[in-house]
Amino acid sequence: MEFKRPKIALIGGGQIGGVMAQIIAKRELGDVVMLDIVENLPQGKTLDISEASKTDHFDVSVTGTNDYKDIEGAGVVIVTSGVPRKPGMSRDDLLGINSGIIKTVGENIKKHAPDAYVIIISNPLDAMVTLMRQVTGFPANRVLGQAGVLDSSRFASFIAWELGISVKDVSALVLGGHGDTMVPLIRYANVAGIPALELFERKYGSKEKAKEVMDKIVERTAKAGGEVVALLKTGSAFYSPAASAIEMAEAIIKDQKRVLAVCAYLDGEYGVNGYYVGVPAVLGGKGVEKIIELTLNDEEQALFDNSVNAVKTLIEDMKKLNLL
């Protein structure tokens, strides 16, 4: 019996694609093929990464291509294709341009990697995941979006920085659409099981100040992508989205049964039918294996409903433009 390494296809050779290829190689998660429409770009990036195989101690194959036939046999496909946000541009502004790109990508994934699990990073995220599933016709458990892992990581990081503690001990969760209406769950944020809000109260001496600090962190979390865009000026976040997507891919490849916040298809969960929304889910060898439903209080439910409505509006806009 011959054992083969998993094959992971990265569609898009930009900043995110390059970082993902490097992370996959260093963790030896599988052989990588990076595809981009720009001639020689993916070949150059993957050659550069491959030439570090000795110093980074990896033996997997990392190659670049401009031909979709080379993704054949991929078990996981991660899609970053699309135009990145520029200063002053919302995720929704990207709708028309990126829909056309995702349609082309989806058709080629369906043709050349029909058994793959597909992780979308392209924005506007919730809309692009919805479109990808429609184009491929894949089961919902095999098409998902990367957003909640990134947003939850940002939320956890901001809490850790505020408290001056290791982020390793912080658990935080963000629900809803990937945008300004996302819902960082304050009540569930904790440090080694201790409510983060309680630690803020101890640090600042009052509930009012603790809530004020937490509210600022929640706002920063929702606008974190825009903060990076404003600083970079010529691009958008790439390292943190890449790392988040690979965490999801690893959970699937290694059948880890990780509980991660992902953009998943809801079929009645949280009272939502037929839409992709960010929720906690079990990720394993069968992709999205289970949606975990949390009991939300009235305030959390209202915020979540508002975020879902934003996703629904986005989908309706796509339909009006004949994009979906």
Side-chain angles (χ1 to χ4, degrees), residues 3-25:
F3 289 94
K4 292 185 178 180
R5 290 189 294 263
K7 183 175 181 178
I8 304 164
L10 308 177
I11 311 299
Q15 295 277 43
I16 296 178
V19 174
M20 287 196 299
Q22 187 177 36
I23 294 174
I24 292 168

Side-chain angles (χ1 to χ4, degrees), residues 274-313:
Y275 289 92
Y276 271 93
V277 181
V279 293
V282 177
L283 279 195
K286 296 179 181 177
V288 178
E289 299 190 352
K290 181 181 180 181
I291 304 296
I292 294 179
E293 289 193 77
L294 302 174
T295 301
L296 304 179
N297 61 30
D298 291 343
E299 180 182 2
E300 292 162 346
Q301 188 65 56
L303 291 170
F304 182 73
D305 291 343
N306 178 58
S307 191
V308 171
N309 287 334
V311 172
K312 289 180 178 179
T313 298

Side-chain angles (χ1 to χ4, degrees), residues 83-99 121-128 146-148 150-151 154 177-182 220-229 236-237 240-241 314 317-318:
V83 177
R85 281 201 297 167
K86 296 179 175 64
M89 181 186 288
S90 72
R91 290 185 177 92
D92 297 1
D93 292 334
L94 303 176
L95 198 58
I97 298 172
N98 285 353
S99 291
I121 303 179
S122 309
N123 281 315
L125 191 278
D126 309 278
M128 294 303 101
Q146 188 292 110
L150 170 59
D151 297 330
R154 286 168 167 167
H178 186 51
D180 293 345
T181 64
M182 68 178 70
R220 187 181 184 188
T221 300
K223 297 180 178 179
E227 183 180 359
V228 174
V229 170
S236 56
S240 53
L314 196 57
D317 288 344
M318 290 185 71

Side-chain angles (χ1 to χ4, degrees), residues 190-212:
N190 70 84
V191 180
I194 306 166
L197 204 55
E198 181 179 325
L199 292 177
F200 285 160
E201 186 178 339
R202 291 181 187 178
K203 178 177 179 178
Y204 294 106
S206 73
K207 289 184 178 180
E208 292 75 17
K209 180 62 176 177
K211 186 177 185 305
E212 179 186 330

